[in-house]
C-alpha cells in the first residue's frame, strides 16, 4: 500500500459536528461522513477512527487527479513548509470528497428505491389476490 494516504476534517454543519474522512488509494479518492453530536475533542476523533476505521462505509472511488509516486522524491524544505501551511489553512472540505459522498448517497438512493419498488409490487399483488378471493367468495353461492 505504498503511496496511500488518509486525512480527516472536522467542522460544524449547522447544529451538528461532522467529520469527513478521505483516503487516497491507487483506485482514487474515497470519502466517508461521520456525524458527531456535540463538538468532539481531538483525542475522541482519533480514538473513534482507530476503533471503527475498517467499519466505515466509504464511498466509491473517484479519480483524485493525483499521481501516486512509487518512490519518495526529495522535496525542497521551503516548498514543503509552504504546502504544510497551505494544508493547515485549508478549512473547506475538498470538492472531490463531496463528489465521492454524493456518489455514495446516489448509490444508497438507488438501492432504497429498488427495495421500496419490490415491496410496493408485492403489496399490490397481495391486495389483488385478496380482492379476487373476496370476489369469488361473494359469487360462490350458498
Amino acid at each position: 500500500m505504498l503511496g496511500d494516504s488518509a486525512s480527516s476534517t472536522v467542522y460544524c454543519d449547522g447544529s451538528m459536528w461532522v467529520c469527513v474522512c478521505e483516503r487516497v488509494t491507487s483506485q482514487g479518492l474515497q470519502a466517508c461522513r461521520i456525524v458527531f453530536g456535540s463538538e468532539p475533542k481531538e483525542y475522541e476523533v482519533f480514538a473513534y477512527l482507530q476503533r471503527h476505521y475498517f467499519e466505515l462505509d466509504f464511498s466509491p472511488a473517484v479519480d483524485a487527479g493525483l499521481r501516486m509516486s512509487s518512490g519518495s522524491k526529495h522535496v525542497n524544505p521551503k516548498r514543503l513548509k509552504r504546502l504544510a501551511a497551505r494544508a493547515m489553512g485549508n478549512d473547506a472540505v475538498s470538492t472531490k470528497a463531496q463528489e465521492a459522498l454524493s456518489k455514495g448517497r446516489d448509490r444508497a438512493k438507488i438501492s432504497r428505491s429498488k427495495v421500496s419498488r419490490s415491496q410496493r409490487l408485492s403489496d399490490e399483488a397481495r391486495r389483488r389476490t385478496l380482492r379476487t378471493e373476496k370476489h369469488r367468495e361473494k359469487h360462490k353461492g350458498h
Side-chain angles (χ1 to χ4, degrees), residues 47-61:
Y48 182 86
L49 290 176
Q50 276 187 326
R51 269 181 284 152
H52 302 287
Y53 184 78
F54 294 106
E55 301 166 7
L56 295 177
D57 185 26
F58 280 93
S59 65

Side-chain angles (χ1 to χ4, degrees), residues 32-125:
C32 169
R33 184 172 186 257
I34 305 166
V35 178
F36 293 103
S38 59
E39 181 176 4
K41 304 276 192 261
E42 188 175 333
Y43 62 87
E44 292 173 339
V45 174
F46 185 69
Y48 182 86
L49 290 176
Q50 276 187 326
R51 269 181 284 152
H52 302 287
Y53 184 78
F54 294 106
E55 301 166 7
L56 295 177
D57 185 26
F58 280 93
S59 65
V62 175
D63 183 28
L66 301 173
R67 196 178 77 233
M68 304 300 285
S69 61
S70 59
S72 63
K73 183 179 174 185
H74 176 72
V75 179
N76 189 331
K78 288 183 180 180
R79 178 181 295 274
L80 191 59
K81 185 178 176 183
R82 278 197 308 268
L83 290 173
R86 191 175 300 144
M88 293 298 290
N90 188 6
D91 293 334
V93 179
S94 74
T95 55
K96 292 289 185 179
Q98 290 173 352
E99 182 183 334
L101 287 173
S102 68
K103 276 191 175 184
R105 280 193 297 270
D106 291 343
R107 182 183 59 186
K109 181 180 176 182
I110 290 170
S111 66
R112 226 180 12 255
S113 66
K114 285 181 181 178
V115 168
S116 64
R117 178 180 165 80
S118 65
Q119 186 176 8
R120 187 184 69 234
L121 291 175
S122 66
D123 200 28
E124 287 175 0

